[in-house]
Amino acid sequence: MTPVELSRTVLHAVRRAVDEGELSVTVPERAVVTPPGPGGCGDYATNIALQLARAAGQPPQRVAEILRARLLDEHRVTDVVVTGPGFLNLSLESTASADLVEEILRRGRRYGHAVGFSGNVVRLRCPAEVRAAVVADAVARVRRSQGDLVRVAYDGRPAPEWESALGVDVGNPMVVDNPTDLDNPTDLADLENATDTDLADPTDPDNPLAVDNPTDFHVDITTHPAPTTPLPLGRDAARWALLYPAAHDRPRITRDHLVQRETNPLFRVRYAHARTRALLRNAADLGFHPEPGPVSGGDALVALLGDHPRVLVTAQDAPDRLARHLLAVADAALPLFPAVLPLGGEKPSAAHRARLALAEAAGTVLAGGLSLLGIDAPDHL
């Protein structure tokens, strides 16, 4: 049950109490539910009883007890405890993880992506420097995942090898001759005449992405330059080396990014993904498949997976946040993997299928996130 669904459930309890004559109040438009504060318990808490007490002409604790009885009738609410002056603390069935895993598996690598055009037409401007180009490329990928139309303009001529060796999209680039005037039509390719699908005029009524008033704005890419060329590292390691540090930090361009051991963050992320694929193959050989359900001990991983859509929003101009998030997902997932498959003569159970589904969801988020960073997620390492 999401916070929005729980808010509706609380309001339904208020409405029932009013209909049955135990409360004489106007049902509010919304009920605020939040994680419990100090002295609270359960999964969520609400102050709805304190909010209604004056209008009801009853003490908050009495209002809370009236609502508690009705909330306990809700099949997904397992317990309700009244604390303090009248806070309602609610415990829910352990189905949230199953619902989340089901959503991730349904949406695949597009989990966390926006549906449709956001209304933003974004022009990224960056210097013709290798790290800035890679960061701009990742920013464009993440922004497009959130429904933006994006084009990159360079203050100078991008090097061809940035595309061939690093996967930076420099096809038909806009080169800014006068970097102080990004709107000068002599400096930039005409947006309306561009052939790139992402540059289709969003005001054109024949364009399926058309909106009445798109927001057109500019974003400057500023980074600490790479101290040396990252090309010898290869595409994946080079991009990680340039994207994992915050933009203002100096990147390390060393062969440590190629080492396949736990001290290498990129290896941990890709290894965790590859392990999820191996678990799915091994489970299929044993004759069972993933099935979302409650998983004991997976709370930290579930929380990180649930936070993925928010991270994509915050990473629109800071892809390092996405890289660190993927590392956190990998580190939370790896300890759970040894319990996914049955041991010895043990038969696959619902718990095994649920853990396998959670592992697959983690791998899906890792693969989708790496793709937005322009990094491959191999099934075998």
Side-chain angles (χ1 to χ4, degrees), residues 46-358:
T46 178
N47 67 348
I48 189 70
L50 285 78
Q51 179 183 339
L52 299 177
R54 176 175 294 180
Q58 300 188 52
Q61 287 195 333
R62 171 58 185 159
V63 176
E65 289 295 342
I66 291 173
L67 298 179
R68 176 180 182 274
R70 286 157 179 80
L71 286 167
L72 286 172
D73 290 339
E74 299 289 341
H75 72 281
R76 294 177 67 178
V77 176
T78 59
D79 194 17
V80 182
V81 177
V82 179
T83 60
F87 290 101
L88 287 160
N89 297 259
L90 302 96
S91 298
L92 307 179
E93 284 184 348
S94 299
T95 59
S97 62
D99 294 342
L100 174 64
V101 168
E102 186 174 354
E103 179 187 358
I104 294 172
L105 298 186
R106 176 176 56 83
R107 298 207 61 194
R109 294 190 181 193
R110 295 187 64 81
Y111 166 65
H113 291 210
V115 178
F117 177 43
S118 67
N120 296 329
V121 178
V122 183
R123 303 186 193 188
L124 303 179
R125 185 178 69 185
C126 74
E129 186 272 330
V130 64
R131 188 187 186 196
V134 170
V135 170
D137 184 71
V139 167
R141 291 167 184 259
V142 176
R143 280 191 166 274
R144 286 172 181 140
S145 80
Q146 301 307 297
D148 293 353
L149 300 182
V150 185
R151 188 65 184 270
V152 181
Y154 292 96
D155 296 343
R157 182 66 56 180
E161 59 266 27
W162 296 351
E163 182 168 33
S164 59
L166 300 178
V168 174
D169 182 9
V170 297
N172 190 28
M174 292 189 286
V175 180
V176 182
D177 297 324
N178 178 9
T180 63
D181 184 5
L182 210 69
D183 292 317
N184 186 338
T186 63
D187 293 334
L188 299 179
D190 186 358
L191 183 65
E192 280 104 9
N193 293 332
T195 58
D196 191 313
T197 301
D198 285 330
L199 294 178
D201 183 2
T203 63
D204 182 352
D206 294 327
N207 178 4
L209 299 178
V211 296
D212 292 334
N213 296 298
T215 302
D216 190 354
F217 62 93
H218 306 143
V219 175
D220 289 332
I221 301 296
T222 57
T223 64
H224 191 298
T228 185
T229 177
L231 295 178
L233 296 180
R235 170 175 170 163
D236 293 333
R239 289 184 71 102
W240 182 270
L242 297 174
L243 294 172
Y244 182 69
H248 58 271
D249 290 336
R250 177 186 174 92
R252 294 186 308 106
I253 311 299
T254 71
R255 296 188 64 82
D256 290 345
H257 295 291
L258 299 174
V259 175
Q260 297 200 37
R261 62 169 66 108
E262 291 184 358
T263 54
N264 179 0
L266 175 59
F267 171 75
R268 294 212 303 277
V269 173
R270 300 174 87 196
Y271 174 70
H273 170 264
R275 287 280 289 128
T276 67
R277 307 308 298 171
L279 289 170
L280 288 166
R281 293 192 298 269
N282 294 338
D285 291 341
L286 295 173
F288 77 101
H289 303 280
E291 184 175 316
V295 176
S296 176
D299 293 350
L301 176 58
V302 169
L304 287 166
L305 297 180
D307 202 35
H308 184 66
R310 183 196 64 82
V311 171
L312 292 185
V313 173
T314 64
Q316 289 183 88
D317 296 323
D320 58 288
R321 296 177 182 174
L322 175 57
R324 291 194 297 272
H325 171 68
L326 296 180
L327 181 59
V329 170
D331 287 344
L334 284 168
L336 299 178
F337 291 164
V340 170
L341 300 179
L343 299 176
E346 187 180 11
K347 292 188 178 298
S349 65
H352 291 112
R353 290 190 289 272
R355 286 193 287 266
L356 181 62
L358 179 58

